Amino acid sequence: MSTHTLHFFDRVDTALHDATLRTALDRATTRFVGNRAGAIGALSDADRLRDQARALRAQALSRLDELLERLAARVEARGGHVCWASDGEEAKRYIADLARSRGVRSIVKSKSMASEEIHLNEALERAGVEVVETDLGEYIIQIAGETPSHIIAPAIHKTREQVGALFEKHLGMPPTTEVPPMIRAARQALRQRFLRADMGISGVNFGVADEGAVVIVENEGNARLTTSVPRIHVAIMGIERIVERLEDLAVMLQVLARSATGQKLSVYTSIISGPARPGEADGPEEFHLVLLDNGRSQILGGQYAEALMCIRCGACLNACPVYQSIGGHAYGGVYSGPIGAVLTPLLQPDLPDHHLLPHASSLCGACQEVCPVRIAIPDLLLRLRADAVKAGKFHPIEKTAIQGYATMMNNPAIYRAGGTFARLGARLLRRKGRIRRLPPPLHLWTRGRDFPALPAQTFSEWWEERERQRQSG
Amino acid sequence: MSRDHILANLRTSLASNRPWLEEVARAAPHAPPPFVHPPAADLVAQFCEELAKLEGRAYPVADAEEALELIGRLLDERNARHVLAWDLAQIDLPGLAALLAGRGVSLLDAGVQGPGRKERLQTLEPVPVCLSGVDCAIAESGSLVLRHGPGRPRLASLLAPTHIAVVRRSQLVRGLGEALALLRERHGAALFDATSHLTLITGPSRTADIEMTLSLGIHGPPEVHVVLI
Amino acid sequence: MSTPAGPRRVTLFVTCIVDQLYPDIGKATVHILERLGVAIHVPRGLTCCGQMAFNAGFRDESYAVAGRTIELLRGQGDVVLPSGSCAAMIRHLYAELFAHSPYAGPAAELAARTYELTEYLVDVLGVTDLGAHYRGRITYHDACHGLRFLGIGRQARALLARVGEAEMRPLPNGGTCCGFGGLFAIKQHAISEAMLERKMHDVQAAGADLVVTGDASCMTQIAGGLSRRGSSIRARHIAEVLANMVDARPV
């Protein structure tokens, strides 16, 4: 289902009315939130670890040019190749050209949000190469023709019945609603894909500058297979995803796993430095690292630089009451939830209604509370809202209302008159002490909630009267 | 050149924001903690408990003899005629070669490089058991740390449904910080000279992608057995 | 924050929503503070902290309203608000709004003497027992801005614990947003209603007859939901409970 052709409000509406989705979201986010809380709670000093994680991210970003150069130089010294890609087009061109020149027919992919951001799979398919997603959740949505709905659990919105039906249709699996046979079917189907693939494409959780290495974190084992079995390994890394030293991973890996799923460590952490060395029995013969900029170098210089600290753990999604209600597809882009509402306008500005995303938040701060690197997401959302207004992206009615509000608040006479007018109106509207229907646009309140009847006297009026009495009495 | 373009952009950006980023960087110490949970008195017990929570199996044994017996049993249970293993000399268990030979279990040639790669991979694929040593093991998370390299194939801890790892108690460390520090101490800047790959393995392969239902062995081994000597 | 010699004096900033919709919250706050011997000053013409415009992204309009508020509160000593969200606006967001402007200094100075009501009572005045009574079961909803941006919640619980005869019931998912979020409640009304639905479910599950919060905005959302569902559970601001004014309003 291509969701980006619908308007944001329609996508929200669709999501809110999808009872299956609501149930799935509830189950998943509740589990993730609970697991995270348990894992963080078991740490000797969770606050210190998070403070360290934030400091390390800031440190790396403060020297991003130097660290990227070091990473690239060391990858090349190990016999790897580095592509510096200014944008998605360049990254896609490099990978497609590489595939063509090496006679690549089939590719296996492990999870890479960056590759989804630039729509890599479509470009490769257009170039006549078959691409198979191997992360189970990504595989499911690939055969369903959908986009991911969560940063770490892409098929969170699908029921087992839906998955069973997909596997029945595409894998010829006998009908079942039991999960174990589905797992067996997927393992079997994907196994041969790994063994026959000419190239493996992976994402990167962290680049390690000093070692010329990339770190890939996963639970399934598909990234290990993707990066070890085929002859060529291409790793795509957002340029901001870097640490300086191997030792820094002791902080980053431990906050990542706990924040994402409540695990102490993900099942597999692969730290890969270039192609196989002479004498190594297996591993790729060629290693390519694609460093993807796509706007990040510019973001680093502005008021949203903090967003580049994100380590894509998904904790903010799970904690967000808005995400819990509408799920990932409603956001329209690759990145959803609170950090998605920040990243999408910045990294995917060609999505038509991205300026609405920062408003899909009550600014409750639950995201910031769980972020392992303490990104002040509400502050960033507020800045994006201000930027949208500066760019003229608002409804004229809203501008009029806000101007009216400012005039009223700054002019005592108008404020008093406005209050009097409202009270007159309220007297007409009130039924049994409450108002059940307000005039537009406030009818959007009374659709689902009552509104209090306005009191006979404001607090200021009461106070002034009391003061008068006290002075005279 | 895109490289120059990207670096130029970064430098321009950092001209504005470096001071703020450096301030945030200074707000906390960078030295990673050696471990992050309250320390346990008995590392062996802690390791075994953590691995069990992940549905892996840990077997503390008294000596090499017991270890060999155990491995023999695991192989028998799986009717394993072949294994994909590290070079046995790199696994710290005297008598291992003799055990395998005695049972008629052959070691597959793990080399896949060069022409015929895909054919060789197909030959390796049906292997029922992988066998490896470790560089160290982390008690507070039940993790194995494997530095690959010549004689230590990546697939020898990945391809088969069962992975047996031989670990010496002396190889146990408390936490991830300690493990990385140990690797650094041993190899220094040459950590990745002879090898392209380091793996941390924390229990069996798992996924909860279908309705948050936990399933083991989606791609990697569903069974992890750690023989702790 | 030096306290002048003599009886304590605070400037009360009731906030626009209390002024217009819930004067009883203001009256309750006055009664509570005066009973503690605190003299109250209410600057004439004080209306709004400017949050509504700021949250909508209209920073110029917010600047105009908030700037005037800073002027009205200049030199007015400790400022107390019965609202975590408005206190958070002043303490947390005025710095951003007024950065690189002539009001940057005055905004910081104001922030340093601005308090939310429960934190003023407990942390500044050192009082938890106000002699309040409520015969019934109370559950407490943590308003988000106060909870996360001011770090309050402990104080309200300490105050409610001393309300005679009241039985406190924990609110499941008490720290989860009620869905008000200012204009969010109108502009994203569908999501706001979905969030309210979950809050209603949790309020029902708490088994209390009174849900109490420290923010009139949350109270409007929660009360609006309870009323529409015909629930007998009432919603009140903590000031109303502490001043024994739970029954002062009919609804």
Side-chain angles (χ1 to χ4, degrees):
Chain A
M1 175 185 60
S2 170
T3 48
H4 61 266
T5 50
L6 289 175
H7 190 273
F8 173 67
F9 290 120
D10 295 324
R11 297 197 300 268
V12 167
D13 213 50
T14 304
L16 288 173
H17 285 101
D18 186 342
T20 309
L21 172 68
R22 305 285 306 269
T23 307
L25 282 173
D26 201 42
R27 174 176 43 225
T29 56
T30 304
R31 184 87 57 83
F32 279 136
V33 166
N35 289 351
R36 176 201 165 270
I40 296 285
L43 287 168
S44 299
D45 196 340
D47 279 336
R48 186 195 159 97
L49 203 60
R50 286 168 73 190
D51 289 340
Q52 284 193 297
R54 180 177 171 82
L56 284 171
R57 291 300 295 130
Q59 171 83 338
L61 290 175
S62 75
R63 304 164 60 190
L64 192 53
D65 54 338
E66 196 189 317
L67 295 184
L68 284 169
E69 282 191 290
R70 193 183 308 167
L71 175 68
R74 291 182 191 190
V75 167
E76 283 165 346
R78 300 285 187 206
H81 306 266
V82 178
C83 163
W84 294 72
S86 289
D87 57 22
E89 292 313 303
E90 224 179 302
K92 289 187 282 196
R93 219 172 16 246
Y94 179 86
I95 299 173
D97 286 349
L98 177 66
R100 201 180 354 260
S101 71
R102 302 295 192 269
V104 169
R105 284 279 141 74
S106 75
I107 293 177
V108 283
K109 252 185 99 230
S110 65
K111 205 150 150 41
S112 164
M113 301 294 296
S115 74
E116 316 224 27
E117 181 188 317
I118 64 175
H119 309 295
L120 174 66
N121 290 8
E122 286 104 271
L124 289 171
E125 269 146 26
R126 271 198 305 272
V129 188
E130 184 199 44
V131 181
V132 179
E133 293 287 345
T134 61
D135 173 281
L136 179 62
E138 294 281 346
Y139 180 62
I140 289 168
I141 62 172
Q142 182 179 42
I143 62 181
E146 293 180 26
T147 53
S149 68
H150 188 287
I151 282 175
I152 61 153
I156 215 175
H157 57 291
K158 288 225 156 319
T159 63
R160 68 176 67 190
E161 287 82 7
Q162 289 169 333
V163 176
L166 276 171
F167 284 8
E168 216 183 294
K169 179 169 170 210
H170 293 267
L171 305 182
M173 184 189 76
T176 180
T177 54
E178 296 300 305
V179 172
M182 297 182 203
I183 299 294
R184 278 195 298 276
R187 180 184 170 109
Q188 214 168 319
L190 287 168
R191 203 58 159 201
Q192 283 302 315
R193 304 305 198 118
F194 286 118
L195 298 174
R196 295 181 193 172
D198 304 303
M199 177 190 277
I201 300 179
S202 76
V204 172
N205 291 86
F206 302 104
V208 184
D210 281 0
E211 306 299 333
V214 297
V215 181
I216 303 171
V217 160
E218 55 156 342
N219 284 316
E220 297 184 11
N222 63 301
R224 286 184 71 192
L225 288 168
T226 297
T227 59
S228 295
V229 173
R231 203 173 56 79
I232 304 168
H233 171 206
V234 176
I236 305 175
M237 185 185 112
I239 56 171
E240 84 283 20
R241 307 291 294 278
I242 200 167
V243 296
E244 185 168 3
R245 310 171 308 158
L246 185 75
E247 286 77 354
D248 299 342
L249 295 175
V251 172
M252 303 315 305
L253 292 176
Q254 298 196 98
V255 293
L256 174 59
R258 286 173 175 78
S259 304
T261 55
Q263 294 170 280
K264 294 192 169 78
L265 279 177
S266 301
V267 179
Y268 303 114
T269 302
S270 299
I271 306 174
I272 298 170
S273 176
R277 303 284 183 272
E280 284 196 296
D282 53 23
E285 291 175 8
E286 274 185 63
F287 174 75
H288 298 256
L289 176 61
V290 177
L291 298 173
L292 179 68
D293 184 349
N294 208 29
R296 291 155 171 77
S297 61
Q298 223 127 350
I299 295 167
L300 185 63
Q303 55 179 341
Y304 304 109
E306 199 180 354
L308 296 178
M309 290 190 193
C310 177
I311 61 174
R312 307 287 191 272
C313 71
C316 60
L317 275 67
N318 300 325
C320 176
V322 172
Y323 178 88
Q324 287 169 3
S325 298
I326 66 175
H329 285 152
Y331 291 79
V334 159
Y335 303 106
S336 60
I339 196 63
V342 176
L343 291 175
T344 304
L346 298 175
L347 294 176
Q348 296 192 287
D350 36 278
L351 286 177
D353 48 17
H354 65 77
H355 60 283
L356 295 174
L357 297 178
H359 288 274
S361 165
S362 62
L363 303 174
C364 78
C367 49
Q368 184 171 358
E369 197 174 50
V370 298
C371 176
V373 293
R374 303 197 201 274
I375 300 173
I377 297 176
D379 287 352
L380 299 179
L381 295 173
L382 284 166
R383 287 176 200 166
L384 284 164
R385 294 179 185 189
D387 281 353
V389 164
K390 269 183 278 208
K393 294 211 169 89
F394 51 83
H395 202 287
I397 288 181
E398 209 184 331
K399 175 82 173 171
T400 309
I402 295 286
Q403 278 173 334
Y405 148 87
T407 304
M408 204 170 84
M409 294 304 171
N410 280 3
N411 283 279
I414 299 179
Y415 179 80
R416 269 195 302 274
T420 307
F421 180 72
R423 273 197 292 286
L424 280 169
R427 255 211 292 280
L428 294 170
L429 293 166
R430 111 177 133 224
R431 307 269 175 279
K432 292 197 194 154
R434 49 202 113 197
I435 297 174
R436 301 210 187 260
R437 254 206 295 266
L438 286 168
L442 300 174
H443 68 293
L444 296 173
W445 175 278
T446 43
R447 256 184 27 151
R449 302 154 277 208
D450 287 347
F451 195 78
L454 268 57
Q457 194 185 41
T458 66
F459 172 81
S460 309
E461 286 163 359
W462 173 82
W463 177 264
E464 274 164 39
E465 203 179 289
R466 202 185 83 144
E467 289 297 278
R468 264 198 309 276
Q469 284 171 0
R470 288 196 173 181
Q471 259 139 54
S472 60
Chain B
M1 255 268 75
S2 281
R3 177 180 178 280
D4 297 329
H5 186 64
I6 294 173
L7 288 170
N9 273 352
L10 288 172
R11 282 161 193 154
T12 306
S13 289
L14 287 173
S16 334
N17 273 341
R18 186 182 284 115
W20 174 74
L21 287 166
E22 284 176 343
E23 194 189 317
V24 177
R26 278 193 297 272
H30 297 180
F35 49 88
V36 293
H37 286 275
D42 183 347
L43 290 189
V44 172
Q46 190 183 29
F47 179 86
C48 294
E49 198 181 306
E50 289 304 316
L51 187 58
K53 283 186 206 164
L54 301 168
E55 311 220 38
R57 306 282 303 280
Y59 311 84
V61 296
D63 53 27
E65 209 184 298
E66 248 185 78
L68 290 169
E69 205 182 295
L70 173 61
I71 291 172
R73 190 158 44 81
L74 290 170
L75 292 171
D76 287 343
E77 281 167 5
R78 284 148 192 77
N79 291 316
R81 298 262 62 85
H82 314 280
V83 295
L84 182 56
W86 279 13
D87 179 12
L88 294 187
Q90 303 219 33
I91 302 179
D92 185 4
L93 182 52
L96 186 53
L99 173 82
L100 296 175
R103 275 175 155 73
V105 178
S106 69
L107 290 162
L108 294 180
D109 176 358
V112 301
Q113 309 293 28
R117 181 189 187 97
K118 289 186 188 178
E119 287 73 17
R120 271 194 289 261
L121 285 165
Q122 291 291 350
T123 314
L124 295 177
E125 164 58 14
V127 70
V129 174
C130 282
L131 186 54
S132 80
V134 300
D135 282 63
C136 62
I138 304 172
E140 71 178 7
S141 57
S143 305
L144 307 172
V145 180
L146 281 71
R147 196 167 148 268
H148 300 280
R152 298 170 163 219
R154 302 173 181 203
L155 296 178
S157 58
L158 176 60
L159 202 59
T162 297
H163 172 209
I164 302 174
V166 177
V167 178
R168 291 275 171 182
R169 281 158 208 244
S170 56
Q171 290 180 303
L172 281 173
V173 295
R174 242 177 243 291
L176 177 58
E178 255 181 51
L180 294 175
L182 181 61
L183 289 175
R184 179 66 70 205
E185 206 183 292
R186 271 190 206 148
H187 304 284
L191 180 60
F192 285 103
D193 280 2
T195 180
S196 60
H197 196 107
L198 209 147
T199 310
L200 305 176
I201 300 176
T202 307
S205 148
R206 56 170 45 202
T207 182
D209 274 345
I210 302 178
E211 262 191 15
M212 297 298 283
T213 307
L214 182 61
S215 306
L216 297 180
I218 172 68
H219 292 296
E223 287 189 44
V224 173
H225 301 266
V226 176
V227 180
L228 203 43
I229 310 175
Chain C
M1 289 155 282
S2 59
T3 32
R8 197 180 282 275
R9 185 177 171 280
V10 302
T11 296
L12 177 59
F13 185 175
V14 294
T15 77
C16 58
I17 185 176
V18 165
D19 190 41
Q20 290 291 331
L21 294 182
Y22 305 106
D24 278 349
I25 295 175
K27 293 180 203 174
T29 306
V30 168
H31 293 327
I32 291 166
L33 290 170
E34 286 185 339
R35 218 180 310 134
L36 292 171
V38 177
I40 296 175
H41 169 64
V42 177
R44 275 205 110 203
L46 184 60
T47 51
C48 181
C49 66
Q51 186 174 201
M52 197 176 87
F54 186 80
N55 284 0
F58 291 88
R59 293 205 176 184
D60 291 341
E61 286 81 353
S62 180
Y63 187 104
V65 173
R68 176 176 171 274
T69 294
I70 289 181
E71 288 295 348
L72 286 172
L73 294 172
R74 208 192 270 272
Q76 300 296 325
D78 290 348
V79 180
V80 175
L81 298 86
S83 164
S85 105
C86 305
M89 177 71 197
I90 295 171
R91 291 234 293 261
H92 181 71
L93 292 171
Y94 269 16
E96 168 114 356
L97 175 60
F98 293 107
H100 315 301
S101 86
Y103 279 112
E109 190 274 331
L110 171 61
R113 55 184 165 88
T114 294
Y115 301 89
E116 182 275 341
L117 176 63
T118 61
E119 73 177 342
Y120 192 77
L121 291 171
V122 176
D123 296 343
V124 179
L125 297 183
V127 170
T128 51
D129 189 348
L130 295 171
H133 285 264
Y134 178 75
R135 189 176 291 157
R137 297 182 302 268
I138 297 178
T139 190
Y140 180 70
H141 161 80
D142 286 284
C144 294
H145 290 105
L147 175 67
R148 299 204 176 86
F149 302 113
L150 295 179
I152 62 174
R154 165 192 45 92
Q155 303 89 335
R157 286 175 169 80
L159 290 162
L160 289 171
R162 308 298 293 271
V163 173
E165 297 179 273
E167 188 196 324
M168 290 301 302
R169 292 289 185 93
L171 177 62
N173 305 308
T176 299
C177 184
C178 65
F180 181 84
L183 284 177
F184 174 85
I186 302 288
K187 289 163 70 171
Q188 306 288 343
H189 56 92
I191 305 175
S192 177
E193 281 170 32
M195 290 162 72
L196 175 61
E197 181 64 46
R198 297 168 75 207
K199 184 60 67 175
M200 291 293 95
H201 181 263
D202 290 332
V203 167
Q204 291 291 135
D209 47 80
L210 185 70
V211 53
V212 176
T213 183
D215 248 285
S217 45
C218 304
M219 195 183 67
T220 306
Q221 171 89 336
I222 292 172
L226 290 168
S227 170
R228 179 60 60 92
R229 284 156 183 74
S231 173
S232 59
I233 302 172
R234 294 187 291 175
R236 289 292 182 268
H237 189 279
I238 192 171
E240 296 175 288
V241 175
L242 297 174
N244 292 320
M245 285 174 64
V246 172
D247 298 325
R249 293 192 272 136
V251 168

